[in-house]
Amino acid sequence: MEKLRSIMLACVGFALFLGLWEIGGRILGSALLAPPSAVAVDYVDLLRQGDMLRELAGSLRQMAVGFLAACIVGMPLGVAMGRSDVADAIFRPWVSMFVVTSTAALIPLFILTIGTGFMLRVTIVFLASVWYIVLTAYNGARGVSPMQVAVARSFGAGTLQIFWKVTLPAIYPFLITGARIGLVHAIRAMVLAEMFVIIGYGGLIHRSGLLVDTGPVLGLLITLMIVSLFFNWLLGEAGRRLAPWYEQQRVTL
Amino acid sequence: MSELETRPAGTGAPDKLEIRNVTKYYHGRGNSLPVLENFSLAVKDLEFLVLLGPSGCGKSTLLRIIDGIETCDSGQVVLDGKNVTNTTGDGRGMVFQSFELFPWRKVIDNVAFGLEVTGVGKAERLDIAREYVNLVGLSAFEHSYPHELSGGMQQRVGIARALAIKPQVLLMDEPYGALDVQTRDLLQDELLSIWERQRKTVIFVTHSIEEALYLADRIVVMSPRPGRIEQIIDVPFGRPRRDALKSDPEFLALRREIWQILKKGARV
Ligand SMILES: Nc1ncnc2c1ncn2[C@@H]1O[C@H](COP(=O)(O)OP(=O)(O)OP(=O)(O)O)[C@@H](O)[C@H]1O
Ligand SMILES: [Mg+2]
């Protein structure tokens, strides 16, 4: 019941928002703010044209490379930092520095050094997401219950066994959470980098932004939002499927 | 003091486990806190020994030292004549107060954990684990996760996990401390019935006098920190024991006597 109520409230809020947007759009006109009715028409056009989905697929593929690299580097690094004081002392200053650095500010620098191609997008996506993955894994590794480690030792488990059978499973929910946060940042960074060099999906948004009609831009943004939400949900679902204890663990984070 | 005579050393069963002059300090900021000082105790083969004492007297510390997950500063833990001080896994199985099951493992895999880390093959360890899950009456929950079980069921899993490695000494640290009274009584009876079928040496920590009297062959009453043996009490009741024993006049009299001993210890 509680859930149904909150869903209904969300729907009411959403309908209200659409209504206000429609009214505002009619008053301001499509050049300033296309109303939802016009965006819907433009959206069907975008789908039929095929540019939107094609560019999206291409961009996401490159994003995936950067994001996977961030997971492959970030997860072990975060775990190592959480479990070893030496690794923590060496890497934490760097992580702290980079995580507060604006990725947008780095883009011009990287355009100069590695050009505007595939590597640029991969690098930017990597740098935008890896620190969140590191920090989440780090916190997870820090929080592994000493009691559970003691239990494993009590049954005669060695250091390696403790790592594989206790530390890693205990960190797992954090790795998933880190991946989810990282992915949101990765998609944002992808669009940002592409808007700088006007390629891919970000390039498409940039070019549409130059039109006198705001409908297509809004349509592109909506697709991007849906895609981000979908991947976020997908990772969460994967976490739940692979680890039924995940929800229960997550509540106690 | 008729029932309270302490049995002289050298009578009865041979010693299974010996704790020799164990000393343990916890080091804080600038000060060292003695928890155990020259603590010695001999545990007989197949006896049910209960450690009873006020909170903070070092019962858990002692049990963890016996188990090997805590190191002691000096002294020895000797099991079957073999020095097992500061080592884990060798002949000892531990049940923890807050259950400490692995939330990511199903019941059966929790119970199989000890066998898994000692390298028992998968089919064999699952067979053994199934047998112990059955022993504690949880066959229907083999494939459940701990969070799907009640506290009492979780502790049954904890007990099955400790028993599955067929320990020579079962260590139980206030295993029922986190449970409600009814569940606690139920689990006491279950434990006794399992123990009567599969005799083994048990060291059981509690601060409930009733629980101690109901379960134990001998009760070691400890004094507040640093933990020393205040008195060792032989429990005169035969077995099997039934719940009605708890309202037996002799039981109640003993309970009062032990209460006096604990009170006296607390004043020192
Ligand atoms: N890791 C630790 N560091 C410092 N002091 C500790 C530590 N563990 C226990 N102590 C101290 O050692 C003393 C004995 O603790 P222990 O847990 O063995 O007592 P206990 O008899 O099991 O008490 P309880 O009945 O409350 O479980 C306590 O005073 C406690 O404060
Ligand atoms: Mg204790």
Side-chain angles (χ1 to χ4, degrees), chain A residues 87-171:
Chain A
D88 190 16
I90 294 174
F91 293 110
R92 198 141 57 121
W94 296 98
V95 175
S96 309
M97 266 176 345
F98 277 109
V99 78
V100 296
T101 303
S102 154
T103 323
L106 291 174
I107 296 176
L109 193 70
F110 279 107
I111 292 177
L112 291 177
T113 49
I114 55 179
T116 61
F118 172 75
M119 273 315 286
L120 175 72
R121 282 184 274 181
V122 171
T123 309
I124 295 301
V125 164
F126 176 87
L127 286 176
S129 57
V130 71
W131 314 113
Y132 296 95
I133 297 169
V134 169
L135 283 177
T136 320
Y138 171 80
N139 283 317
R142 280 268 137 148
V144 173
S145 151
M147 256 326 269
Q148 291 195 330
V149 173
V151 171
R153 282 208 299 126
S154 165
F155 283 95
T159 315
L160 263 184
Q161 284 175 319
I162 290 173
F163 181 77
W164 287 110
K165 294 177 198 292
V166 179
T167 311
L168 268 194
I171 295 172

Side-chain angles (χ1 to χ4, degrees), chain B residues 56 59-61 97 173-174 205:
Chain B
K59 307 180 296 292
S60 296
T61 305
Q97 173 169 5
D173 188 4
E174 289 192 53
V205 166

Side-chain angles (χ1 to χ4, degrees), chain A residues 46-68:
Chain A
L46 282 170
L47 284 175
R48 210 174 306 130
Q49 250 177 12
D51 271 7
M52 178 174 74
L53 294 183
R54 198 182 49 247
E55 293 292 357
L56 182 66
S59 291
L60 285 179
R61 228 174 297 148
Q62 307 206 2
M63 185 277 299
V65 175
F67 172 67
L68 281 181

Side-chain angles (χ1 to χ4, degrees), chain B residues 44-264:
Chain B
K44 297 185 186 68
D45 195 17
L46 303 185
E47 85 169 320
F48 201 123
L49 185 92
V50 168
L51 294 175
L52 179 71
S55 189
C57 72
K59 307 180 296 292
S60 296
T61 305
L62 178 62
L63 214 63
R64 290 164 63 86
I65 287 172
I66 297 172
D67 192 45
I69 53 178
E70 191 85 71
T71 55
C72 57
D73 299 326
S74 64
Q76 286 185 326
V77 179
V78 178
L79 176 66
D80 273 332
K82 187 178 162 203
N83 186 355
V84 294
T85 320
N86 300 343
T87 67
T88 61
D90 200 353
R92 293 147 293 167
M94 180 116 157
V95 179
F96 298 84
Q97 173 169 5
S98 41
F99 322 141
E100 302 297 341
L101 302 179
F102 299 118
W104 50 86
R105 284 180 170 244
K106 293 175 177 174
V107 164
I108 182 102
D109 298 319
N110 262 292
V111 175
F113 181 81
L115 300 164
E116 186 178 322
V117 295
T118 46
V120 177
K122 185 162 187 178
E124 190 187 347
R125 70 173 181 254
L126 287 182
D127 278 347
I128 299 173
R130 211 166 283 123
E131 182 190 319
Y132 282 93
V133 170
N134 187 34
L135 183 73
V136 296
L138 288 178
S139 287
F141 298 91
E142 239 176 68
H143 298 291
S144 301
Y145 283 95
H147 71 268
E148 300 167 316
L149 307 180
S150 71
M153 288 154 91
Q154 290 191 39
Q155 193 56 300
R156 287 185 179 95
V157 178
I159 292 167
R161 177 174 67 180
L163 288 174
I165 58 171
K166 300 194 173 69
Q168 306 189 45
V169 180
L170 181 65
L171 307 170
M172 305 181 84
D173 188 4
E174 289 192 53
Y176 308 143
L179 302 174
D180 61 86
V181 184
Q182 288 96 314
T183 311
R184 192 177 180 140
D185 286 357
L186 202 68
L187 277 159
Q188 285 170 3
D189 283 329
E190 280 182 22
L191 178 64
L192 283 183
S193 105
I194 290 171
W195 182 73
E196 269 145 22
R197 275 177 288 157
Q198 307 190 356
R199 283 279 175 144
K200 64 175 76 243
T201 310
V202 178
I203 306 178
F204 188 108
V205 166
T206 182
H207 44 223
S208 156
I209 303 174
E210 182 179 89
E211 184 166 68
L213 271 173
Y214 190 57
L215 297 175
D217 291 323
R218 285 198 304 159
I219 300 174
V220 174
V221 183
M222 288 173 68
S223 65
R225 215 182 45 229
R228 273 171 287 108
I229 297 179
E230 189 76 35
Q231 192 156 353
I232 298 181
I233 295 159
D234 277 303
V235 179
F237 310 116
R239 297 181 190 270
R241 294 178 186 168
R242 294 286 168 262
D243 207 51
L245 178 65
K246 288 176 185 167
S247 43
D248 184 282
E250 199 184 350
F251 187 95
L252 297 173
L254 260 176
R255 192 175 149 166
R256 265 193 306 278
E257 273 184 65
I258 297 174
W259 172 236
Q260 294 301 329
I261 298 170
L262 277 172
K263 231 166 61 173
K264 188 186 74 188

